[in-house]
Amino acid sequence: MPQSPTPDQVRQAQAKAEKLYQELKSGADFRKLAVSESDDAQALKGGDLGWRPAAQIPTIFADVIPDLTKGEVSQPIRSPSGFHLVKLIDTRGGDGKQISREQASQAIFQRKVNDELEAWTQEIRASAYVDNRLDKQ
């Protein structure tokens, strides 16, 4: 969808996502549909996001993935850029159990905190470097 979609554009995108979801439920090949229908950067890879630890799962998918079983496709998920369909191919690591919604949310929250802390640390270092250089002049 465009950056500021009209209500009609949202309805059209949602209808397309629902249609694709129904096709997938009827046995359509996820990879082929991703290549032919998706605008995502991973479309030409069949929509494959690769193996990711829970902390690296895109936030918009974090609430959906723990509820999926292997091979299952999510209902359309709305984001600012459009609608997404997620298929869980497999899980690995840990004890083989899927993580809970709370664990996924906590991992994503922790990643965001760590990212913010790192950015803040870099900002302080840069400021200290500039201050130090000014003091030497």
Side-chain angles (χ1 to χ4, degrees):
M1 288 190 305
Q3 201 163 11
S4 298
T6 65
D8 189 49
Q9 289 171 318
V10 173
R11 280 191 296 277
Q12 288 176 5
Q14 185 173 13
K16 180 179 178 181
E18 288 291 338
K19 176 184 166 280
L20 294 172
Y21 174 66
Q22 292 304 322
E23 288 180 32
L24 290 165
K25 282 180 60 176
S26 297
D29 184 272
F30 189 92
R31 289 180 175 275
K32 288 180 182 177
L33 281 180
V35 170
S36 65
E37 301 291 339
S38 178
D39 294 330
D40 187 75
Q42 303 303 320
L44 295 178
K45 295 180 182 179
D48 191 346
L49 298 177
W51 287 105
R52 295 192 180 198
Q56 292 179 3
I57 296 171
T59 307
I60 62 167
F61 305 145
D63 286 341
V64 175
I65 291 174
D67 295 334
L68 295 176
T69 58
K70 292 179 186 179
E72 187 178 10
V73 177
S74 72
Q75 292 187 5
I77 303 166
R78 171 85 191 268
S79 81
S81 63
F83 290 87
H84 309 269
L85 297 167
V86 176
K87 180 176 183 178
L88 180 64
I89 303 298
D90 203 356
T91 59
R92 70 178 182 190
D95 57 7
K97 295 180 183 175
Q98 291 183 335
I99 62 171
S100 71
R101 184 177 309 234
E102 292 81 20
Q103 289 169 319
S105 295
Q106 183 177 6
I108 290 167
F109 174 76
Q110 188 61 50
R111 184 184 78 219
K112 287 181 179 181
V113 168
N114 290 344
D115 289 348
E116 289 292 324
L117 183 58
E118 179 63 26
W120 183 61
T121 303
Q122 293 296 331
E123 187 177 313
I124 290 171
R125 286 182 183 149
S127 177
Y129 175 77
V130 169
D131 289 346
N132 189 25
R133 298 221 1 126
L134 290 175
D135 287 344
K136 290 183 179 183
Q137 290 181 357

